[in-house]
């Protein structure tokens, strides 16, 4: 389903493509109403929102390019079609992610579950076929799936990628010194092109998020870390290129409703493929969310798994921080306060430190300070 061929649709619209989309969502068990109708009614609006929530994308009830893309990924279950590597037009879908999961449980696929049958997946398939006594042609048909089903333990959990991420985290000590962190600011124009900000809104986000990011990098540098500040013009893959320990993106949100307010954090993953998420991203997201709400008094909008392109494009653990709503008068007032932005920066750095603390060394939320970290590590906090 080439998403570029279809318009952006919302409740009240009608279009022939809605019949196809309703059929695909009905197959997933979602209540779409009359599947033969091309009307975008209230029932289908609820189904779209539920689907968006399941897939970890923006839950706005709008059937646009991102949602069409996710509908297409969800179109196939493993076994529905024969899978193989096509370097020109790689196959994508939930069936590919399920295949990657099975191969990962066997220790043969060690990358992130990305729903794409790329070179790494092809190599893992051929390795599995060789070990299972099947012709190693890279073609995943009935014979390969039958053989895989016989050796994958149904009770196994997690992936090799997730295991490696955990091991890398616990084996490197508690200090932030020597680690590389990328702190992004004001990336909404780059990461969410469907959200049309005015120049004034984009400038305000860049100014406020940029100030928080500079305060974060200043603290990290004082603790001996290499902290890089990036913005909407920066390469979204910078964290991978630098071998960063983590990427933190800081933005503000905007809503048509002036009531929307609070802080939220997001990490790579979704409720459909929970085992494919980033365990480090989830843990860091939780720490940042807890520290932010404990130190600033902003409404707690919680930590969420999301499969946004800006999160899935990286192998480096990444957390996207939505630090308040500029469209909300009270949030905007707080964000204009230097002390609030300083508290946000403190919260993010403390959360990064908590990520590397183990067991009894992990203090209660809101009690650890950058000054205490600096004193414990022999650094000088500015």
């Amino acid at each position: 389903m080439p998403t570029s061929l279809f318009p952006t649709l919302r409740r009240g619209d009608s279009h022939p493509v809605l019949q196809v989309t309703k059929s695909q969502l009905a197959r997933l068990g979602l209540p779409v109403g009359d599947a033969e109708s091309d009307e975008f009614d209230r029932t289908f609006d609820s189904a779209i929102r539920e689907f968006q929530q399941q897939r970890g994308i923006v839950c706005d009830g709008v059937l646009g390019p991102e949602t069409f893309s996710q509908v297409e990924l969800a179109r196939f279950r493993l076994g529905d079609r024969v899978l193989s590597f096509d370097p020109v037009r790689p196959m994508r879908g939930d069936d590919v992610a399920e295949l990657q999961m099975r191969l990962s449980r066997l220790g043969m696929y060690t990358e992130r579950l990305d729903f794409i049958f790329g070179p790494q997946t092809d190599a893992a398939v051929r390795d599995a076929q060789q070990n299972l006594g099947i012709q190693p042609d890279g073609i995943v048909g009935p014979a390969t799936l039958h053989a895989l089903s016989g050796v994958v333990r149904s009770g196994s959990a997690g992936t090799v990628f997730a295991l490696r991420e955990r091991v890398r985290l616990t084996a490197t000590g508690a200090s932030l010194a020597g680690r590389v962190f990328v702190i992004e600011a004001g990336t909404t124009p780059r990461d969410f092109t469907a959200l049309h900000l005015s120049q004034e809104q984009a400038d305000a986000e860049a100014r406020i998020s940029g100030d928080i990011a500079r305060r974060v990098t200043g603290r990290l540098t004082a603790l001996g870390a290499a902290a890089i500040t990036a913005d909407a013009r920066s390469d979204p893959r910078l964290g991978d290129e630098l071998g960063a320990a983590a990427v933190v993106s800081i933005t503000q949100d905007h809503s048509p409703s002036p009531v929307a307010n609070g802080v939220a954090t997001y990490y790579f993953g979704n409720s459909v493929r929970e085992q494919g998420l980033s365990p480090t991203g989830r843990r860091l997201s939780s720490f940042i969310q807890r520290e932010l709400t404990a130190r600033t008094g902003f409404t707690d909008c919680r930590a969420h798994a999301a499969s946004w392109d800006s999160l899935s494009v990286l192998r480096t653990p990444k957390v996207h921080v939505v630090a308040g709503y500029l469209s909300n008068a009270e949030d905007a007032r707080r964000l204009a306060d230097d002390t609030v932005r300083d508290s946000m920066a403190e919260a993010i750095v403390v959360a990064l430190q908590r990520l590397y603390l183990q067991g009894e060394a992990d203090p209660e939320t809101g009690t650890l300070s950058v000054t205490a970290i600096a004193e414990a590590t022999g650094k000088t906090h500015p």
Side-chain angles (χ1 to χ4, degrees):
M1 182 186 293
T3 59
S4 61
L5 298 181
F6 299 107
T8 296
L9 303 171
R10 50 178 51 83
R11 185 174 172 181
D13 292 337
S14 60
H15 195 283
V17 74
L18 291 176
Q19 295 181 22
V20 178
T21 307
K22 285 181 178 181
S23 295
Q24 291 180 356
L25 294 187
R27 188 185 182 200
L28 300 177
L30 294 171
V32 298
D34 183 1
E36 300 300 320
S37 170
D38 63 2
E39 299 293 327
F40 199 131
D41 57 16
R42 182 173 64 181
T43 302
F44 186 60
D45 177 79
S46 297
I48 284 293
R49 292 178 187 273
E50 183 177 349
F51 176 75
Q52 290 171 326
Q53 189 172 37
Q54 289 178 356
R55 305 295 294 195
I57 57 179
V58 177
C59 186
D60 56 6
V62 176
L63 185 55
E66 185 176 31
T67 303
F68 270 125
S69 176
Q70 289 296 319
V71 170
E72 180 65 9
L73 287 179
R75 180 180 175 187
F76 297 105
R77 292 288 177 266
L78 190 59
D80 286 352
R81 57 179 176 170
V82 174
L83 298 172
S84 62
F85 176 51
D86 183 341
V88 179
R89 297 186 62 183
M91 302 180 80
R92 301 167 181 260
D94 281 11
D95 54 346
V96 177
E98 178 61 29
L99 173 65
Q100 291 172 334
M101 175 70 74
R102 294 192 183 191
L103 294 170
S104 183
R105 288 171 178 166
L106 295 174
M108 294 173 179
Y109 180 77
T110 61
E111 305 296 324
R112 171 175 284 175
L113 274 63
D114 60 5
F115 299 79
I116 304 171
F117 200 118
Q120 293 86 0
T121 305
D122 179 59
V125 167
R126 293 175 187 272
D127 187 16
Q129 290 173 326
Q130 183 75 46
N131 282 278
L132 292 170
I134 303 172
Q135 181 180 356
D137 55 10
I139 299 174
V140 182
T144 298
L145 290 177
H146 178 74
L148 284 174
S149 298
V151 296
V152 175
R153 298 191 306 273
S154 61
S156 62
T159 66
V160 175
F161 178 85
L163 178 60
R164 286 186 171 183
E165 198 173 85
R166 291 190 186 98
V167 170
R168 185 167 65 247
L169 182 69
T170 58
T172 52
S175 176
L176 297 182
R179 302 183 191 276
V180 177
F181 297 98
V182 175
I183 311 300
E184 298 181 330
T187 59
T188 295
R190 183 195 73 192
D191 295 338
F192 305 101
T193 55
L195 179 60
H196 301 295
L197 300 184
S198 67
Q199 191 60 52
E200 181 181 2
Q201 290 173 324
D203 290 345
E205 180 189 283
R207 182 177 65 256
I208 293 171
S209 293
D211 181 71
I212 298 170
R214 285 187 290 274
R215 294 169 190 262
V216 171
T217 56
R219 285 168 163 79
L220 288 173
T221 300
L223 294 173
I228 312 298
T229 302
D231 58 25
R233 298 165 296 182
S234 303
D235 186 344
R237 297 178 176 82
L238 183 60
D240 286 350
E241 294 174 2
L242 297 177
V247 175
V248 178
S249 184
I250 306 166
T251 65
Q252 278 73 50
D253 209 342
H254 303 78
S255 172
S257 170
V259 178
N261 69 98
V263 295
T265 55
Y266 298 84
Y267 58 93
F268 176 75
N270 64 57
S271 59
V272 176
R273 288 284 184 272
E274 184 177 354
Q275 291 176 324
L277 57 75
S278 165
T280 301
R282 178 170 61 179
R283 190 160 178 250
L284 178 58
S285 182
S286 175
F287 284 146
I288 292 178
Q289 185 67 24
R290 287 158 47 190
E291 292 289 344
L292 280 173
T293 53
R295 295 165 187 267
T296 67
F298 275 78
T299 299
D300 184 0
C301 296
R302 304 187 304 279
H304 306 271
S307 56
W308 304 335
D309 287 346
S310 59
L311 295 172
S312 62
V313 73
L314 281 174
R315 303 193 184 281
T316 303
K318 177 177 178 178
V319 172
H320 188 113
V321 180
V322 175
Y325 281 72
L326 289 176
S327 52
N328 178 268
E330 178 59 21
D331 277 10
R333 183 191 66 77
R334 289 184 179 182
L335 289 166
D337 187 335
D338 281 354
T339 59
V340 171
R341 297 197 302 275
D342 205 59
S343 293
M344 286 185 160
E346 183 88 357
I348 291 170
V349 175
V350 166
L352 286 168
Q353 178 62 81
R354 290 173 68 93
L355 186 64
Y356 297 97
L357 297 177
Q358 302 296 320
E360 297 179 357
D362 190 10
E364 293 184 8
T365 300
T367 63
L368 187 61
S369 69
V370 172
T371 300
I373 298 171
E375 290 175 351
T377 57
K379 302 294 181 181
T380 302
H381 178 47

